[in-house]
């Protein structure tokens, strides 16, 4: 049912050695005393028409990755190429032109829509910003987008507070679609919704992808959601990508011990089947002061001496299956 | 479950064309606040009276009736022409009702102009400071703190006495002074002095709105919808003026209506102390000031400007309360 796993597809988005650090300021003069390495040296690609899932627990930097790519927050290093253009080098006008092609759908459907603006205006505003001056043209586009996401034309006059969470998420998707983008960041688009609504939104996202052929960077912490929607999956831990593979190979044969622990936490709807649950010890260390060597080693069930000293390289251990671990 | 709930709400919602706008919701909630509605009525009546002062007033503003035997004269004093002074005459023999009407015009005009201009300043400066942060925010915040930390009355007294006694002229376009002169129903020279007074009140009055708006901007700028706007390439100007300010306006409206009361009082205080609106321009404040000298022999005299002053202040406060309740997003419907 998914598009064939596809080295044939062209790379649309290339992220190279992305580093996003947040300064910690202290003292009277607000001097930078330390850096929180939220994203530290992350590289991956998103291919044309595919869905790249990014998973990891809270605070691992997956949302930061998505915001960095869109240049919504400043980065400390690395580069992002979108269709050959280097995003971090663009001047403001070029960046604005590029924003047409890269859009975002947010996690919280309550804060992602301006409460004082009718839904139609929210969707039309991005068109206005990108120079669609003709009002009736904008209105037509709004009607079309509302229909695409399964809302009614008369909803355009209503305010966000008149909608349910799922409906608001549809509005957020309509807003992202309005500019006809080629790449959409979905930042945990369903984690704030009821389970029954989640599947509706996921299917909507899939249908739209089939129709328009854009790529998704799908950020989530729910593995079953990621399995449902992704073509390839990246697993993050403490600001680093630890594993990246096509969905099938990742879910059938996870290589990194962290990914294995994550997989073992997926509940199986079969009361008779006992699963080997790998329970990680300890807490996630602070990204302010990450562990030496492999960042996962203090919690890793199979850690050896080398893991605390040498940082493992991110290498292709199987075809298209990348892992950062000494022991795989 | 949620699916059926969704379709239920859909059926219940009004059809297109009958949607209740946010303004209608606020209006409906405001109308439930009886005292606030009554206060609006009081303000409207006073406003109309002030606006119609040149038509309604029985005498010219500065006409002195020297034939009246007792000056000040109590309500009901008859003029030399046999007309009645409904509220009596002041120490110079000027009709108090006439001066009260013109005074209302002066006092209310000052309050409205000062509040509108200072809230505008405050809102824009506060929104930009809160949204942009950085050095601009530091400068604005320190300035606001500075202005709020100095005691207002001495500063008002000093600046007002310097500027008004020296007859300073502000470099304003003629349209502005003409407008003020029309608002006050007073000649240009008198209007000029009032403009100076208004400028001082504005200079010290924008801080409240700026602080409120800065706070709102600080919380709003971290909302996802602002991030979404950046993601589509919206300019900072658009984000601030189309999104931040409209979302932060509710507390500003409340602040403004309370500010109206504050400015009416401030003007009265300054005029009472002799550095506000100058004779012969009437204002409620300087009417109180002159009444003071005679109030032990004629205790009704200070009541004539005093009662409307009280009414207006209380009314503006009630309107503020009503607005606060109507605009409170936590209260549903």
């Amino acid at each position: 049912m998914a598009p064939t796993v596809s080295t044939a597809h062209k790379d649309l988005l290339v992220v190279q050695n992305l580093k996003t650090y947040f300064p910690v300021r202290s003292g009277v003069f607000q001097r930078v005393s330390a850096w929180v390495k939220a994203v530290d040296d992350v590289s991956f690609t998103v291919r044309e028409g595919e869905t790249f899932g990014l998973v990891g627990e809270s605070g691992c930097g997956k949302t930061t990755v998505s915001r960095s790519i869109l240049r919504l927050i400043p980065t400390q290093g690395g580069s992002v190429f979108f269709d050959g253009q280097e995003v971090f080098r663009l001047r403001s006008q070029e960046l604005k032109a590029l924003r047409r092609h890269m859009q975002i759908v947010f996690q919280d459907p309550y804060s992602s829509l301006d409460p004082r603006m009718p839904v139609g205006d929210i969707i039309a505003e991005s068109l206005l910003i990108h120079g669609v001056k003709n009002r009736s043209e904008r209105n037509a586009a709004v009607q079309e987008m509302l229909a695409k996401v399964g809302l009614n034309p008369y909803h355009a006059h209503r305010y966000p507070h008149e909608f349910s969470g799922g409906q608001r998420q549809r509005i957020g998707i309509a807003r992202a679609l309005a500019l006809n983008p080629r790449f959409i960041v979905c930042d945990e688009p369903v984690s704030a919704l009821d389970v029954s609504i989640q599947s509706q939104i996921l299917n909507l996202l899939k249908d739209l992808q089939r129709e328009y052929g854009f790529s998704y960077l799908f950020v989530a912490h729910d593995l079953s959601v990621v399995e449902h929607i992704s073509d390839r999956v990246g697993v993050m831990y403490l600001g680093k990508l630890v594993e990246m593979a096509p969905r099938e190979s990742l879910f059938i044969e996870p290589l990194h011990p962290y990914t294995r622990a994550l997989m073992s936490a997926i509940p199986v709807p079969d009361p008779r089947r006992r699963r080997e649950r790998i329970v990680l010890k300890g807490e996630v260390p602070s990204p302010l002061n990450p562990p030496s060597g492999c960042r996962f080693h203090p919690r890793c069930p199979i850690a050896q001496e080398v893991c605390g000293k040498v940082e493992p390289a991110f290498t292709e251990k199987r075809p298209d299956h990348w892992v950062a671990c000494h022991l795989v | 479950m949620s699916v059926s709930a969704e379709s239920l709400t859909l059926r219940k919602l009004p059809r297109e064309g009958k949607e209740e706008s946010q303004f209608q919701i606020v209006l409906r909630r405001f109308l439930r606040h009886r005292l606030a509605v009554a206060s609006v009525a009081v303000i409207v009546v006073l406003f109309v009276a002030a606006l119609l002062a040149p038509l309604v007033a029985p005498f010219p503003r500065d006409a002195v009736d020297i034939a009246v035997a007792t000056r000040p004269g109590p309500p009901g004093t008859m003029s030399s022409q046999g007309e009645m002074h409904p509220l009596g005459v002041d120490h110079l023999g000027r009709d108090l009702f006439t001066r009260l009407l013109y005074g209302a015009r002066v006092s209310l005009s000052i309050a409205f102009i000062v509040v509108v201009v200072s809230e505008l300043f405050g809102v824009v400066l506060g929104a930009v400071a809160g949204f942009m942060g950085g050095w601009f925010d530091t400068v604005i915040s320190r300035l606001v703190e500075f202005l709020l930390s100095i005691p207002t009355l001495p500063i008002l007294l000093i600046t007002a006495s310097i500027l008004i006694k020296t007859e300073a002229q502000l470099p304003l376009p003629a349209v502005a002074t003409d407008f003020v002169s029309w608002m006050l129903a007073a000649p240009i020279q008198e209007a000029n002095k009032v403009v100076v007074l208004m400028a001082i009140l504005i200079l010290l009055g924008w801080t409240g709105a700026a602080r409120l708006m800065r706070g709102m901007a600080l919380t709003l700028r971290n909302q996802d919808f602002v991030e979404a706007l950046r993601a589509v390439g919206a300019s900072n100007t658009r984000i601030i003026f189309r999104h931040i300010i409209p979302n932060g306006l509710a507390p500003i409206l409340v602040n403004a209506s309370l500010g109206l009361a504050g400015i009416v009082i401030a003007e009265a205080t300054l005029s009472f102390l002799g550095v506000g609106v100058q004779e012969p321009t009437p204002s409620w404040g300087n009417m109180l000031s002159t009444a003071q000298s005679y109030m032990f022999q004629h205790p009704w005299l200070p009541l004539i400007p005093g009662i409307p002053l009280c009414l207006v202040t209380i009314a503006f406060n009630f309107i503020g309360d009503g607005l606060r309740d109507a605009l409170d997003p936590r209260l549903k419907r």
Side-chain angles (χ1 to χ4, degrees), chain A:
Chain A
M1 91 194 154
T4 45
V5 178
S6 44
T7 31
H9 280 280
K10 180 166 149 255
D11 289 345
L12 180 66
L13 183 89
V14 180
V15 179
Q16 281 176 355
N17 309 98
L18 181 69
K19 294 185 181 73
T20 307
Y21 303 161
F22 296 113
V24 178
R25 294 175 194 278
S26 57
V28 188
F29 298 105
Q30 295 290 294
R31 278 224 310 263
V32 177
S33 59
W35 294 91
V36 176
K37 297 185 173 180
V39 176
D40 200 8
D41 209 1
V42 166
S43 306
F44 62 93
T45 57
V46 180
R47 295 168 190 156
E48 200 113 44
E50 79 165 354
T51 301
F52 185 87
L54 201 55
V55 283
E57 58 202 293
S58 319
C60 73
K62 51 195 194 302
T63 293
T64 312
V65 167
S66 67
R67 305 286 158 102
S68 306
I69 290 169
L70 295 177
R71 241 177 99 170
L72 294 173
I73 49 176
T75 48
Q76 259 59 45
S79 44
V80 172
F81 293 93
F82 182 84
D83 201 19
Q85 276 184 295
E86 191 174 347
V87 178
F88 295 163
R89 290 264 174 85
L90 295 179
R91 288 144 186 268
S92 63
Q93 277 311 308
E94 297 165 326
L95 182 65
K96 190 176 165 187
L98 183 73
R99 291 204 183 285
R100 270 198 98 117
H101 305 301
M102 305 168 81
Q103 278 304 305
I104 179 164
V105 175
F106 291 93
Q107 171 176 19
D108 179 4
Y110 292 88
S111 78
S112 63
L113 304 173
D114 184 342
R116 297 261 169 212
M117 219 178 214
V119 164
D121 289 357
I122 291 175
I123 298 170
E125 188 167 26
S126 37
L127 295 167
L128 183 68
I129 290 165
H130 284 275
V132 182
K133 295 271 182 280
N134 185 326
R135 177 177 283 273
S136 57
E137 206 177 309
R138 285 204 304 271
N139 283 341
V142 167
Q143 305 292 326
E144 190 194 330
M145 290 309 141
L146 284 173
K148 285 270 182 259
V149 299
L151 293 170
N152 287 314
Y154 61 81
H155 283 143
H157 302 282
R158 300 222 179 123
Y159 287 87
H161 71 90
E162 296 173 73
F163 294 91
S164 70
Q167 286 176 316
R168 289 189 202 206
Q169 206 55 298
R170 289 171 190 270
I171 297 163
I173 293 168
R175 168 176 58 192
L177 282 185
L179 290 172
N180 198 10
R182 298 168 59 193
F183 171 68
I184 298 180
V185 170
C186 300
D187 185 9
E188 310 225 18
V190 296
S191 52
L193 304 176
D194 281 357
V195 179
S196 54
I197 309 292
Q198 284 192 357
S199 58
Q200 291 177 15
I201 298 293
L202 288 175
N203 289 333
L204 173 68
L205 287 170
K206 275 195 145 176
D207 292 345
L208 290 168
Q209 187 177 41
R210 209 165 297 143
E211 187 175 345
Y212 290 98
F214 39 57
S215 313
Y216 287 129
L217 172 64
F218 197 94
V219 177
H221 60 253
D222 185 335
L223 286 165
S224 45
V225 165
V226 168
E227 185 179 9
H228 179 68
I229 199 158
S230 310
D231 299 315
R232 289 189 310 133
V233 180
V235 181
M236 281 187 77
Y237 181 77
L238 210 59
K240 293 240 176 224
L241 209 52
V242 294
E243 186 162 5
M244 178 170 79
R247 178 188 54 190
E248 292 84 357
S249 61
L250 188 87
F251 279 85
I252 293 166
E253 192 194 8
L255 294 178
H256 197 282
Y258 178 63
T259 318
R260 280 191 224 149
L262 277 185
M263 295 295 172
S264 78
I266 304 177
V268 181
D270 180 356
R272 263 162 298 180
R273 198 166 145 206
R274 296 257 317 157
R275 282 194 59 144
E276 286 290 308
R277 178 85 163 82
I278 307 168
V279 180
L280 293 179
K281 46 190 193 273
E283 289 286 315
V284 185
S286 159
L288 198 63
N289 185 20
S292 61
C294 174
R295 290 192 175 185
F296 186 55
H297 86 266
R299 304 177 70 197
C300 183
I302 57 169
Q304 315 238 315
E305 215 187 317
V306 62
C307 300
K309 293 184 179 139
V310 186
E311 197 179 327
F314 196 53
T315 47
E316 193 168 7
K317 295 276 159 82
R318 307 272 159 83
D320 214 24
H321 195 142
W322 297 65
V323 186
C325 182
H326 292 299
L327 305 168
V328 177

